[in-house]
PDB file of all heavy atoms in Angstrom:
ATOM      1  N   LEU A  40      44.983 -40.082-115.855  1.00 96.00           N
ATOM      2  CA  LEU A  40      44.454 -40.083-114.490  1.00 96.00           C
ATOM      3  C   LEU A  40      42.949 -40.308-114.445  1.00 96.00           C
ATOM      4  O   LEU A  40      42.428 -40.808-113.455  1.00 96.00           O
ATOM      5  CB  LEU A  40      44.827 -38.803-113.757  1.00 96.00           C
ATOM      6  CG  LEU A  40      46.284 -38.678-113.344  1.00 96.00           C
ATOM      7  CD1 LEU A  40      46.563 -37.309-112.733  1.00 96.00           C
ATOM      8  CD2 LEU A  40      46.662 -39.785-112.351  1.00 96.00           C
ATOM      9  N   ALA A  41      42.248 -39.920-115.510  1.00 93.00           N
ATOM     10  CA  ALA A  41      40.794 -40.094-115.531  1.00 93.00           C
ATOM     11  C   ALA A  41      40.426 -41.583-115.479  1.00 93.00           C
ATOM     12  O   ALA A  41      39.314 -41.913-115.061  1.00 93.00           O
ATOM     13  CB  ALA A  41      40.204 -39.441-116.784  1.00 93.00           C
ATOM     14  N   ARG A  42      41.331 -42.418-115.844  1.00 88.00           N
ATOM     15  CA  ARG A  42      41.099 -43.856-115.805  1.00 88.00           C
ATOM     16  C   ARG A  42      41.174 -44.406-114.370  1.00 88.00           C
ATOM     17  O   ARG A  42      40.688 -45.499-114.074  1.00 88.00           O
ATOM     18  CB  ARG A  42      42.164 -44.551-116.674  1.00 88.00           C
ATOM     19  CG  ARG A  42      41.817 -45.956-116.981  1.00 88.00           C
ATOM     20  CD  ARG A  42      42.723 -46.500-118.045  1.00 88.00           C
ATOM     21  NE  ARG A  42      41.840 -47.018-119.072  1.00 88.00           N
ATOM     22  CZ  ARG A  42      42.212 -47.344-120.279  1.00 88.00           C
ATOM     23  NH1 ARG A  42      43.458 -47.196-120.639  1.00 88.00           N
ATOM     24  NH2 ARG A  42      41.380 -47.829-121.133  1.00 88.00           N
ATOM     25  N   ASP A  43      41.717 -43.624-113.481  1.00 74.00           N
ATOM     26  CA  ASP A  43      41.861 -43.991-112.078  1.00 74.00           C
ATOM     27  C   ASP A  43      40.508 -43.876-111.381  1.00 74.00           C
ATOM     28  O   ASP A  43      39.907 -42.794-111.332  1.00 74.00           O
ATOM     29  CB  ASP A  43      42.887 -43.044-111.435  1.00 74.00           C
ATOM     30  CG  ASP A  43      43.205 -43.389-110.007  1.00 74.00           C
ATOM     31  OD1 ASP A  43      42.495 -44.225-109.401  1.00 74.00           O
ATOM     32  OD2 ASP A  43      44.173 -42.836-109.479  1.00 74.00           O
ATOM     33  N   ASP A  44      40.015 -44.973-110.851  1.00 76.00           N
ATOM     34  CA  ASP A  44      38.729 -44.975-110.179  1.00 76.00           C
ATOM     35  C   ASP A  44      38.681 -44.176-108.900  1.00 76.00           C
ATOM     36  O   ASP A  44      37.639 -44.079-108.273  1.00 76.00           O
ATOM     37  CB  ASP A  44      38.300 -46.420-109.894  1.00 76.00           C
ATOM     38  CG  ASP A  44      37.904 -47.167-111.155  1.00 76.00           C
ATOM     39  OD1 ASP A  44      37.595 -46.525-112.157  1.00 76.00           O
ATOM     40  OD2 ASP A  44      37.938 -48.406-111.114  1.00 76.00           O
ATOM     41  N   SER A  45      39.812 -43.632-108.476  1.00 88.00           N
ATOM     42  CA  SER A  45      39.801 -42.916-107.207  1.00 88.00           C
ATOM     43  C   SER A  45      39.296 -41.489-107.344  1.00 88.00           C
ATOM     44  O   SER A  45      39.150 -40.787-106.346  1.00 88.00           O
ATOM     45  CB  SER A  45      41.213 -42.922-106.604  1.00 88.00           C
ATOM     46  OG  SER A  45      42.077 -42.148-107.379  1.00 88.00           O
ATOM     47  N   PHE A  46      38.987 -41.020-108.570  1.00 96.00           N
ATOM     48  CA  PHE A  46      38.438 -39.683-108.749  1.00 96.00           C
ATOM     49  C   PHE A  46      36.924 -39.748-108.904  1.00 96.00           C
ATOM     50  O   PHE A  46      36.379 -40.661-109.547  1.00 96.00           O
ATOM     51  CB  PHE A  46      39.066 -38.997-109.967  1.00 96.00           C
ATOM     52  CG  PHE A  46      40.518 -38.667-109.755  1.00 96.00           C
ATOM     53  CD1 PHE A  46      41.519 -39.430-110.317  1.00 96.00           C
ATOM     54  CD2 PHE A  46      40.906 -37.586-108.976  1.00 96.00           C
ATOM     55  CE1 PHE A  46      42.851 -39.150-110.121  1.00 96.00           C
ATOM     56  CE2 PHE A  46      42.225 -37.281-108.753  1.00 96.00           C
ATOM     57  CZ  PHE A  46      43.205 -38.092-109.319  1.00 96.00           C
ATOM     58  N   ASP A  47      36.264 -38.760-108.353  1.00 96.00           N
ATOM     59  CA  ASP A  47      34.800 -38.709-108.381  1.00 96.00           C
ATOM     60  C   ASP A  47      34.256 -37.759-109.440  1.00 96.00           C
ATOM     61  O   ASP A  47      33.092 -37.864-109.821  1.00 96.00           O
ATOM     62  CB  ASP A  47      34.293 -38.278-106.998  1.00 96.00           C
ATOM     63  CG  ASP A  47      34.714 -39.239-105.922  1.00 96.00           C
ATOM     64  OD1 ASP A  47      34.254 -40.394-105.918  1.00 96.00           O
ATOM     65  OD2 ASP A  47      35.573 -38.859-105.091  1.00 96.00           O
ATOM     66  N   LEU A  48      35.097 -36.796-109.899  1.00 97.00           N
ATOM     67  CA  LEU A  48      34.659 -35.818-110.851  1.00 97.00           C
ATOM     68  C   LEU A  48      35.865 -35.197-111.542  1.00 97.00           C
ATOM     69  O   LEU A  48      36.928 -35.084-110.927  1.00 97.00           O
ATOM     70  CB  LEU A  48      33.833 -34.716-110.147  1.00 97.00           C
ATOM     71  CG  LEU A  48      33.209 -33.634-111.027  1.00 97.00           C
ATOM     72  CD1 LEU A  48      31.769 -33.402-110.600  1.00 97.00           C
ATOM     73  CD2 LEU A  48      33.972 -32.343-110.909  1.00 97.00           C
ATOM     74  N   LEU A  49      35.679 -34.802-112.791  1.00 98.00           N
ATOM     75  CA  LEU A  49      36.745 -34.123-113.544  1.00 98.00           C
ATOM     76  C   LEU A  49      36.282 -32.725-113.965  1.00 98.00           C
ATOM     77  O   LEU A  49      35.218 -32.573-114.568  1.00 98.00           O
ATOM     78  CB  LEU A  49      37.058 -34.939-114.810  1.00 98.00           C
ATOM     79  CG  LEU A  49      37.986 -34.303-115.875  1.00 98.00           C
ATOM     80  CD1 LEU A  49      39.322 -33.916-115.303  1.00 98.00           C
ATOM     81  CD2 LEU A  49      38.108 -35.207-117.079  1.00 98.00           C
ATOM     82  N   LEU A  50      37.077 -31.713-113.615  1.00 98.00           N
ATOM     83  CA  LEU A  50      36.901 -30.368-114.120  1.00 98.00           C
ATOM     84  C   LEU A  50      37.858 -30.244-115.289  1.00 98.00           C
ATOM     85  O   LEU A  50      39.067 -30.392-115.126  1.00 98.00           O
ATOM     86  CB  LEU A  50      37.239 -29.309-113.072  1.00 98.00           C
ATOM     87  CG  LEU A  50      36.291 -29.173-111.907  1.00 98.00           C
ATOM     88  CD1 LEU A  50      36.817 -28.155-110.907  1.00 98.00           C
ATOM     89  CD2 LEU A  50      34.895 -28.825-112.375  1.00 98.00           C
ATOM     90  N   LEU A  51      37.321 -30.032-116.493  1.00 98.00           N
ATOM     91  CA  LEU A  51      38.092 -30.173-117.716  1.00 98.00           C
ATOM     92  C   LEU A  51      38.106 -28.890-118.553  1.00 98.00           C
ATOM     93  O   LEU A  51      37.052 -28.434-119.004  1.00 98.00           O
ATOM     94  CB  LEU A  51      37.520 -31.318-118.565  1.00 98.00           C
ATOM     95  CG  LEU A  51      38.154 -31.620-119.886  1.00 98.00           C
ATOM     96  CD1 LEU A  51      39.604 -32.111-119.697  1.00 98.00           C
ATOM     97  CD2 LEU A  51      37.327 -32.671-120.630  1.00 98.00           C
ATOM     98  N   ASP A  52      39.302 -28.328-118.733  1.00 97.00           N
ATOM     99  CA  ASP A  52      39.468 -27.179-119.649  1.00 97.00           C
ATOM    100  C   ASP A  52      39.552 -27.771-121.059  1.00 97.00           C
ATOM    101  O   ASP A  52      40.085 -28.857-121.254  1.00 97.00           O
ATOM    102  CB  ASP A  52      40.740 -26.441-119.275  1.00 97.00           C
ATOM    103  CG  ASP A  52      40.972 -25.201-120.142  1.00 97.00           C
ATOM    104  OD1 ASP A  52      39.994 -24.656-120.691  1.00 97.00           O
ATOM    105  OD2 ASP A  52      42.146 -24.779-120.226  1.00 97.00           O
ATOM    106  N   LEU A  53      39.039 -27.024-122.034  1.00 95.00           N
ATOM    107  CA  LEU A  53      39.128 -27.502-123.438  1.00 95.00           C
ATOM    108  C   LEU A  53      40.458 -27.189-124.073  1.00 95.00           C
ATOM    109  O   LEU A  53      40.948 -27.932-124.909  1.00 95.00           O
ATOM    110  CB  LEU A  53      37.982 -26.907-124.271  1.00 95.00           C
ATOM    111  CG  LEU A  53      36.592 -27.379-123.887  1.00 95.00           C
ATOM    112  CD1 LEU A  53      35.561 -26.697-124.786  1.00 95.00           C
ATOM    113  CD2 LEU A  53      36.468 -28.902-123.931  1.00 95.00           C
ATOM    114  N   GLY A  54      41.068 -26.064-123.690  1.00 94.00           N
ATOM    115  CA  GLY A  54      42.301 -25.610-124.349  1.00 94.00           C
ATOM    116  C   GLY A  54      43.569 -26.149-123.690  1.00 94.00           C
ATOM    117  O   GLY A  54      44.454 -25.394-123.341  1.00 94.00           O
ATOM    118  N   LEU A  55      43.640 -27.461-123.555  1.00 97.00           N
ATOM    119  CA  LEU A  55      44.807 -28.080-122.935  1.00 97.00           C
ATOM    120  C   LEU A  55      45.891 -28.416-123.968  1.00 97.00           C
ATOM    121  O   LEU A  55      45.546 -28.830-125.079  1.00 97.00           O
ATOM    122  CB  LEU A  55      44.414 -29.381-122.207  1.00 97.00           C
ATOM    123  CG  LEU A  55      43.474 -29.234-121.027  1.00 97.00           C
ATOM    124  CD1 LEU A  55      43.024 -30.620-120.556  1.00 97.00           C
ATOM    125  CD2 LEU A  55      44.193 -28.493-119.884  1.00 97.00           C
ATOM    126  N   PRO A  56      47.165 -28.294-123.574  1.00 97.00           N
ATOM    127  CA  PRO A  56      48.235 -28.726-124.494  1.00 97.00           C
ATOM    128  C   PRO A  56      48.307 -30.263-124.528  1.00 97.00           C
ATOM    129  O   PRO A  56      47.869 -30.935-123.606  1.00 97.00           O
ATOM    130  CB  PRO A  56      49.477 -28.120-123.883  1.00 97.00           C
ATOM    131  CG  PRO A  56      49.162 -27.891-122.455  1.00 97.00           C
ATOM    132  CD  PRO A  56      47.668 -27.674-122.369  1.00 97.00           C
ATOM    133  N   GLY A  57      48.885 -30.778-125.582  1.00 96.00           N
ATOM    134  CA  GLY A  57      49.095 -32.225-125.690  1.00 96.00           C
ATOM    135  C   GLY A  57      47.920 -32.953-126.279  1.00 96.00           C
ATOM    136  O   GLY A  57      48.049 -33.741-127.202  1.00 96.00           O
TER     137      GLY A  57
END
Side-chain angles (χ1 to χ4, degrees):
L40 287 175
R42 194 168 234 167
D43 184 348
D44 289 338
S45 68
F46 291 102
D47 301 292
L48 184 134
L49 169 60
L50 290 177
L51 179 64
D52 183 24
L53 293 180
L55 294 171

